[in-house]
Amino acid sequence: MNTTPRTRDIDDLLEEWLGLDVSTVGTAAVDRAVRERLKATGLIDPAAYARKARGDTAERDLLVEGVIVAESWFFRDRQVFEFVADVAATRAAVPGRRPVRILCAPSASGEEPYSLAMALFDAGLTAEQFAIDAIDISRRSLARAAAGRYSANAFRNADLAFRDRWFAAEAGQAVLDRRIRDQVRFAWANLLDPVFADGREPYDVVFCRNLLIYLTPAARRQVERQIDRLLLPDGLVVLGAAEPPIMQGDWIPAGSASLFTLHRGVHAPAPLARPVAKRPRPTTAPRAAPPASPHRQAAAAALLPEAAAADLERVLAEAGRLANAGRLADALAHCEQSRPLVPPSPELFFLMGMLHQSAGDLDRAEGCFHKTLYLDGGHEEALLALALVARQRGDLAMAEQYRQSAARALARKEETR
């Protein structure tokens, strides 16, 4: 038998169905999968097998099972789950708000959506306050997720306290608590399906980690369009650490805990404001200021030249690009150099705060977040960021006060929509 059983037809099929760039998983892996399916079907000619797989969805799915990469474990990049839990808790605290909705696509064997459910329960949310949808194109992975039984390989973190809370030992495996399993709705689906987003209620958060790196450029654009359709206007997308530069749209880092959690970028110019006075660190969390009236907002925006708004967007975009490439010092330097050239901006101070916090400089981060609030008292993300700073310092009471202030700010925004 030919040692390289792949054909162009098979590569084309995988690209059409999965958006897969075969070189990203290695041609040897695809060759091995095709060789196994040739043996299973009794076929010898790879071209004949390609025709069979194209016309037989069950066979196509079996080929896909041998090609996809389904590596995952619980609380992979724990800071991501902590950040999303804080965001979810803040949104859930808004009176009368619908449940927080999260999508995991792909979901592999369930480790990621189940980690989210554990994190949200641990953050104090009830089962009625959030819903998690999880999809994958691997039926085997979905079956393993539904079983909720895991080996030691799914637990790779130093802190495994969550395992004691949410799993029971049984026959050498860890069996997930039914409460967590019932909180996640699994389904077989393909994110590249053009109609996948049709009729779906939008999500607060979309997890799409470590998928884009395996796709062709065209498939990446298609997935990005799907994500944009699936998210609420203030929704978050969570990517793998290497993936933010892949995104072509107007996305910027959404939280200091993770520069690969993104939200849509700035579209409206920031109003002019007075120079920021140096103030002592507050001993209690500030109450978020009420939003400005539409008349006052319009008047302030009219004072800002159109060119200055465009400059601000360029500054934020370049700083975000540098940060997502891991060049935190360069991103900060770009912000500092650009700051005298643009009007005082809450978005710029917020991004600088995130960069300082990612670099471990909590004092400078805190100062930037307070400047953000000076310019925009209803900036709930800055309040959440200050909650994270307080928690990093061990001041849990202060962290909770900031989180409650963020919830009040978000509630006011919800009322005006």
Side-chain angles (χ1 to χ4, degrees):
M1 185 184 295
N2 187 347
T3 58
T4 306
R6 269 177 38 258
T7 67
R8 181 67 249 178
D9 286 342
I10 290 174
D11 287 359
D12 287 345
L13 173 63
L14 293 172
E15 181 176 331
E16 291 168 17
W17 176 238
L18 301 180
L20 181 69
D21 178 347
V22 169
S23 66
T24 62
V25 296
T27 54
V30 179
D31 286 342
R32 183 169 57 252
V34 174
R35 195 175 293 113
E36 289 174 356
R37 294 315 306 157
L38 287 171
K39 182 178 179 180
T41 58
L43 294 173
I44 297 175
D45 180 12
Y49 175 75
R51 290 192 293 274
K52 175 178 177 58
R54 185 174 290 278
D56 183 342
T57 56
E59 183 57 41
R60 180 197 61 194
D61 288 350
L62 289 169
L63 173 63
V64 166
E65 295 284 359
V67 172
I68 60 174
V69 179
E71 179 77 357
S72 190
W73 59 89
F74 288 105
F75 288 100
R76 183 178 184 178
D77 303 315
R78 178 178 286 275
Q79 75 277 11
V80 172
F81 297 96
E82 292 176 350
F83 178 75
V84 171
D86 277 348
V87 170
T90 299
R91 297 188 178 199
V94 176
R97 192 188 190 277
R98 61 156 209 180
V100 175
R101 287 175 45 79
I102 300 176
L103 172 68
C104 289
S107 62
S109 299
E111 292 90 338
E112 182 172 270
Y114 285 147
S115 294
L116 279 165
M118 286 183 271
L120 268 58
F121 276 130
D122 287 343
L125 276 74
T126 66
E128 295 72 31
Q129 288 180 306
F130 70 97
I132 300 174
D133 291 338
I135 66 163
D136 206 277
I137 57 170
S138 168
R139 299 186 191 277
R140 290 178 189 168
S141 293
L142 291 169
R144 287 194 292 268
R149 304 177 70 93
Y150 296 92
S151 67
N153 191 51
F155 303 91
R156 307 186 195 178
N157 296 316
D159 180 6
L160 295 178
F162 72 91
R163 186 170 61 181
D164 297 332
R165 289 195 302 276
W166 295 110
F167 291 83
E170 184 179 305
Q173 291 187 307
V175 181
L176 185 59
D177 188 293
R178 172 60 68 178
R179 186 182 175 203
I180 299 297
R181 290 160 62 187
D182 288 346
Q183 199 65 27
V184 181
R185 296 186 295 257
F186 288 97
W188 183 89
N190 187 345
L191 192 58
L192 285 166
D193 184 345
V195 300
F196 173 76
D198 290 356
R200 283 184 175 263
E201 188 178 352
Y203 293 93
D204 294 90
V205 184
V206 171
F207 270 69
C208 186
R209 298 207 292 172
N210 302 311
L211 172 64
L212 296 177
I213 55 176
Y214 295 108
L215 304 184
T216 65
R220 290 170 174 177
R221 301 291 80 75
Q222 189 173 345
V223 168
E224 184 172 354
R225 287 193 294 272
Q226 288 281 59
I227 290 171
D228 195 50
R229 291 179 63 197
L230 289 163
L231 278 177
L232 286 167
D234 60 350
L236 306 179
V237 57
V238 183
L239 304 173
E243 293 177 318
I246 292 173
M247 300 285 274
Q248 297 295 299
D250 184 18
W251 304 91
I252 61 174
S256 55
S258 171
L259 291 175
F260 38 91
T261 302
L262 309 178
H263 64 62
R264 294 180 180 88
V266 178
H267 296 285
L272 288 171
R274 298 167 306 196
V276 177
K278 189 160 188 157
R279 296 179 294 167
R281 183 184 300 169
T283 56
T284 59
R287 182 178 296 273
S293 67
H295 175 75
R296 182 178 173 187
Q297 289 176 335
L303 296 174
L304 183 62
E306 205 171 299
D311 287 343
L312 174 60
E313 291 199 21
R314 283 195 290 269
V315 170
L316 293 171
E318 176 62 11
R321 184 190 69 79
L322 292 168
N324 287 325
R327 297 168 58 186
L328 300 186
D330 290 341
L332 273 168
H334 179 70
C335 291
E336 291 288 1
Q337 292 164 7
S338 303
R339 202 173 64 169
L341 307 178
V342 297
S345 159
E347 291 83 8
L348 183 57
F349 279 120
F350 180 66
L351 179 56
M352 291 173 66
M354 291 193 298
L355 293 169
H356 280 304
Q357 188 171 20
S358 296
D361 191 337
L362 298 187
D363 289 337
R364 284 193 172 90
E366 188 176 40
C368 287
F369 294 140
H370 281 303
K371 289 175 181 176
T372 303
L373 291 173
Y374 182 84
L375 296 171
D376 178 4
H379 200 294
E380 77 275 6
E381 290 172 316
L383 289 161
L384 274 177
L386 284 166
L388 286 171
V389 170
R391 193 166 65 191
Q392 285 175 285
R393 288 191 168 124
D395 191 341
L396 301 184
M398 178 67 75
E400 179 59 20
Q401 288 184 55
Y402 277 124
R403 197 188 65 74
Q404 290 177 9
S405 294
R408 289 193 293 269
L410 184 59
R412 279 190 285 270
K413 288 185 179 180
E414 295 279 350
E415 290 169 1
T416 61
R417 285 178 181 171

